[in-house]
Amino acid sequence: MAASMNQHPHHHQVADLSIDVFPQGGSKCFDDDGRLKRTGNVWTASSHIITAVIGSGVLSLAWAIAQLGWIAGPAVMFLFSFVIYYTSALLADCYRSGDPVTGKRNYTYMDAVRSNLGGVKVKVCGLIQYLNLFGVAIGYTIAASISMMAIKRSNCFHESGGNNPCHLSSNPYMIMFGVAEIVFSQIPDFDQIWWLSIVAAVMSFTYSSIGLGLGIAKVAENGSFRGSLTGISIGTVTETQKIWRSFQALGDIAFAYSYSIILIEIQDTIKSPPSESKTMKKATLLSVAVTTAFYMLCGCMGYAAFGDLAPGNLLTGFGFYNPFWLLDIANAAIVIHLVGAYQVYCQPLFAFIEKWAFQRWPKSQFITKEIKVQIPGFRPFNLNLFRLVWRSAFVVLTTIIAMLLPFFNDVVGLLGAFGFWPLTVYFPVEMYIAQKKIPKWSTRWLCLQILSLACLIISVAAAAGSIAGVVLDLKVYRPFQTSY
């Protein structure tokens, strides 16, 4: 890493510190902008996207469809998948400024906003993006601890024959997850976690398939599909709860699909030619198609199995108790997946802070010095003290917040709502309009603005529903006490 920095003049973007890497082949070939050659392709980009998308969000989809019903639930899911694909294609076109093949590369989402929109919008975008990444880290810590507890609980239930209520605290499990993330967060760059992404993508298919299989088995056992056309019935919940929960379900579905937040960073790992936007659009289409098929199956089968009683988290809400060993495998797969997904989401935030610190204090040994640590059988590991301290502190902070607010569904809905409109719709639409110079009030301009406005309304409704959920939970919650 130090070698790659020395080959660049100091005025060059200092994100080199965090984003430049030696490709797996280790050859000294350079890209059109003097950076080391990228090695990503459709498959690595798709695995990054699937790792980011098929996350813990899939587990709340049966609950989300239960709030909306058999008509609105699948319809909303298809609508979200179309919007995500369309706006991701717009965003992929903004990776290079000017010519799509030879134009200046934008290495991060913020760089793309800076090149196309500029001004105060850059700061607003950065604030929303990095706050959202921070929130995702908290959400994933909660989800991982819930899955670890589910393993412990299912075994406890099995051993006691269902007589022991098996009360547990989530805190030790959150701390264990945090320790693992401190270790993995020392991997310096996005490109170097490609293997973690592939492992995580395989794990996401594993637990989603188990959730789907158990849902199908439950439907077969019941002998019928449960649920109704309009969702959870008034009586089971009050009219007000029905409205808030429906709004929250929109946030859950938005969260389950959101990855635009790291799309440019993923695109920056793709080799060219062909142009990165072509490869990224293929990867996006492939990923969104696979994801939607999976989501429809998992969400709908979960709802068909449990109807109004669909749990907030399909594999840990204990709609299923047996076969307990299969549940354990599914929940272990969730934990392994979340370890990887946490890194995929946090690397852009890590890179941003390290770039800023390097620019601010370029002469500081603490920030710039790389210490080579010899690992037998592997290449030497570059240890940077600033990276070690700051990334560890970040993981500790997210873990503490997760321990204070362990509400999986509400946090997921709130994150989905908070990031969906600005990062998935507004900025891609505005950048595309600026880049393609689409005239104001033209048909195309109007259609894009209507899309943006409709998504803003959905985001506001979802945020309101999730905040109402958090407020209700806080009335009965006592922090740091036994959760189950």
Side-chain angles (χ1 to χ4, degrees):
M1 193 67 68
S4 84
M5 278 171 51
N6 294 339
Q7 284 150 356
H8 297 290
H10 267 301
H11 68 265
H12 200 65
Q13 259 206 315
V14 124
D16 297 347
L17 179 73
S18 304
I19 295 170
D20 268 2
V21 292
F22 293 106
Q24 278 85 54
S27 68
K28 291 275 187 172
C29 302
F30 292 92
D31 261 326
D32 52 1
D33 59 351
R35 291 182 168 213
L36 286 163
K37 217 163 188 59
R38 294 157 296 164
T39 56
N41 53 34
V42 170
W43 299 109
T44 60
S46 298
S47 75
H48 279 317
I49 295 170
I50 289 169
T51 300
V53 179
I54 303 186
S56 49
V58 70
L59 302 171
S60 64
L61 291 178
W63 181 89
I65 291 181
Q67 311 315 308
L68 300 169
W70 278 120
I71 298 173
V76 165
M77 218 177 279
F78 272 124
L79 187 68
F80 270 103
S81 66
F82 170 74
V83 169
I84 292 284
Y85 171 67
Y86 182 69
T87 57
S88 296
L90 299 185
L91 190 54
D93 282 335
C94 300
Y95 174 66
R96 284 186 185 265
S97 302
D99 188 275
V101 180
T102 58
K104 176 185 162 288
R105 279 163 55 193
N106 296 306
Y107 306 110
T108 64
Y109 197 114
M110 268 180 84
D111 287 343
V113 175
R114 189 177 289 111
S115 299
N116 291 290
L117 301 175
V120 74
K121 286 182 178 174
V122 182
K123 287 182 177 161
V124 172
C125 163
L127 183 67
I128 294 169
Q129 186 189 10
Y130 295 125
L131 269 177
N132 212 353
L133 290 172
F134 182 67
V136 167
I138 296 166
Y140 280 2
T141 305
I142 296 169
S145 73
I146 289 172
S147 287
M148 287 190 264
M149 286 165 69
I151 295 172
K152 182 80 175 159
R153 265 188 98 202
S154 85
N155 292 344
C156 164
F157 248 76
H158 185 72
E159 283 161 15
S160 69
N163 299 322
N164 184 343
C166 304
H167 290 301
L168 294 170
S169 167
S170 59
N171 296 339
Y173 300 97
M174 288 189 188
I175 291 165
M176 280 161 59
F177 183 77
V179 169
E181 288 307 338
I182 286 174
V183 173
F184 281 109
S185 66
Q186 297 313 311
I187 299 171
D189 310 291
F190 214 156
D191 257 22
Q192 290 178 12
I193 59 169
W194 60 272
W195 59 274
L196 198 55
S197 264
I198 290 169
V199 169
V202 170
M203 290 299 147
S204 64
F205 281 120
T206 304
Y207 67 73
S208 301
S209 304
I210 292 172
L212 174 60
L214 289 170
I216 294 169
K218 184 81 173 174
V219 169
E221 185 190 310
N222 296 338
S224 64
F225 276 64
R226 292 189 177 171
S228 64
L229 295 179
T230 54
I232 197 163
S233 46
I234 306 293
T236 310
V237 291
T238 64
E239 279 184 37
T240 314
Q241 279 179 315
K242 167 85 175 167
I243 294 167
W244 288 131
R245 282 171 160 230
S246 298
F247 287 165
Q248 192 185 327
L250 295 176
D252 281 10
I253 294 171
F255 177 79
Y257 272 111
S258 63
Y259 74 94
S260 304
I261 186 171
I262 52 170
L263 183 140
I264 297 276
E265 283 83 351
I266 292 172
Q267 197 166 340
D268 192 44
T269 66
I270 296 171
K271 64 186 173 194
S272 70
S275 77
E276 297 89 350
S277 63
K278 267 190 186 168
T279 308
M280 196 63 194
K281 284 175 188 173
K282 279 185 196 165
T284 299
L285 182 59
L286 176 68
S287 310
V288 170
V290 168
T291 304
T292 303
F294 240 77
Y295 279 7
M296 292 301 283
L297 285 167
C298 288
C300 292
M301 290 315 295
Y303 182 39
F306 297 107
D308 285 359
L309 301 174
N313 184 323
L314 193 58
L315 290 170
T316 61
F318 285 87
F320 304 116
Y321 288 100
N322 284 307
F324 82 101
W325 55 269
L326 192 59
L327 278 173
D328 290 354
I329 292 171
N331 281 303
I334 293 172
V335 175
I336 296 167
H337 170 259
L338 289 173
V339 168
Y342 186 104
Q343 290 305 318
V344 169
Y345 271 100
C346 290
Q347 285 291 342
L349 176 57
F350 292 159
F352 171 74
I353 295 289
E354 282 149 29
K355 168 189 165 183
W356 172 81
F358 190 89
Q359 282 175 330
R360 188 79 195 271
W361 298 285
K363 294 192 169 73
S364 164
Q365 288 282 306
F366 175 65
I367 289 168
T368 58
K369 191 176 181 189
E370 299 273 346
I371 303 161
K372 286 209 180 301
V373 179
Q374 297 298 332
I375 304 170
F378 294 93
R379 284 190 307 184
F381 178 76
N382 289 321
L383 179 70
N384 175 290
L385 289 177
F386 174 66
R387 187 164 63 225
L388 177 68
V389 172
W390 126 251
R391 292 188 182 190
S392 301
F394 173 86
V395 175
V396 169
L397 182 61
T398 56
T399 306
I400 290 169
I401 295 173
M403 287 158 76
L404 287 168
L405 288 173
F407 318 127
F408 177 68
N409 262 57
D410 303 329
V411 170
V412 159
L414 195 56
L415 287 171
F418 182 66
F420 175 67
W421 176 71
L423 298 171
T424 303
V425 184
Y426 174 76
F427 283 116
V429 162
E430 291 300 312
M431 288 194 285
Y432 186 77
I433 288 171
Q435 190 171 44
K436 301 293 180 196
K437 299 184 172 56
I438 296 168
K440 218 172 190 180
W441 305 112
S442 65
T443 310
R444 193 155 193 211
W445 185 88
L446 277 171
C447 289
L448 287 167
Q449 295 298 345
I450 289 165
L451 169 71
S452 186
L453 181 63
C455 291
L456 171 62
I457 292 165
I458 290 171
S459 263
V460 170
S466 297
I467 289 166
V470 170
V471 168
L472 283 173
D473 283 340
L474 282 172
K475 284 180 181 171
V476 295
Y477 174 67
R478 297 287 173 273
F480 299 119
Q481 288 186 5
T482 302
S483 308
Y484 274 114

